[in-house]
Amino acid sequence: SKDIMYMPMKQICDKFPEWLADNEHKLSADDYERYGRQYQFFQQLVAVYETEPDNFPRLMELMQDMQETGQPPAEIIKELAPGLQFTDDGMPMMPNMG
């Protein structure tokens, strides 16, 4: 739901351009392109949450597309959510969930 997902996505989106600029020289061309695509998905997700937050099919489609680009940059996640870890398929690991 927007209540849960919007702010973290917006925060990641806000940090992504600076991270890309700071890390471009450290990344392979493939990784830089992959992170660039991932940033575009974050932007699209934020836009959908802002304009049509009940469009769940579109939100799910964007989430699936974004997951195919892998995990967001660890530095951004650690800064925004210290201690949050991700599974190999890019999903956040929720403590005490199973």
Side-chain angles (χ1 to χ4, degrees):
S1 79
K2 181 177 179 177
D3 294 343
I4 297 170
M5 299 300 294
Y6 174 72
M7 279 313 296
M9 296 235 172
K10 177 92 173 96
Q11 291 173 322
I12 290 171
C13 207
D14 291 345
K15 301 228 176 260
F16 232 115
E18 181 180 356
W19 184 89
L20 281 170
D22 289 348
N23 289 279
E24 182 175 7
H25 66 283
K26 301 177 196 172
L27 299 169
S28 69
D30 286 346
D31 280 345
Y32 184 76
E33 181 184 333
R34 180 174 60 82
Y35 283 125
R37 283 195 321 271
Q38 193 175 74
Y39 172 49
Q40 290 174 337
F41 287 127
F42 273 106
Q43 290 176 303
Q44 291 172 32
L45 280 160
V46 167
V48 172
Y49 275 122
E50 289 174 346
T51 59
E52 43 184 339
D54 296 327
N55 187 346
F56 297 114
R58 180 68 179 137
L59 289 166
M60 292 309 296
E61 177 187 353
L62 286 168
M63 294 250 190
Q64 282 184 316
D65 290 345
M66 185 178 67
Q67 283 179 357
E68 290 173 12
T69 66
Q71 294 184 26
E75 297 89 344
I76 293 176
I77 300 303
K78 285 179 185 162
E79 188 177 326
L80 296 175
L84 182 64
Q85 296 179 323
F86 287 84
T87 63
D88 290 340
D89 61 1
M91 294 297 294
M93 290 170 45
M94 299 294 177
N96 306 322
M97 297 290 285

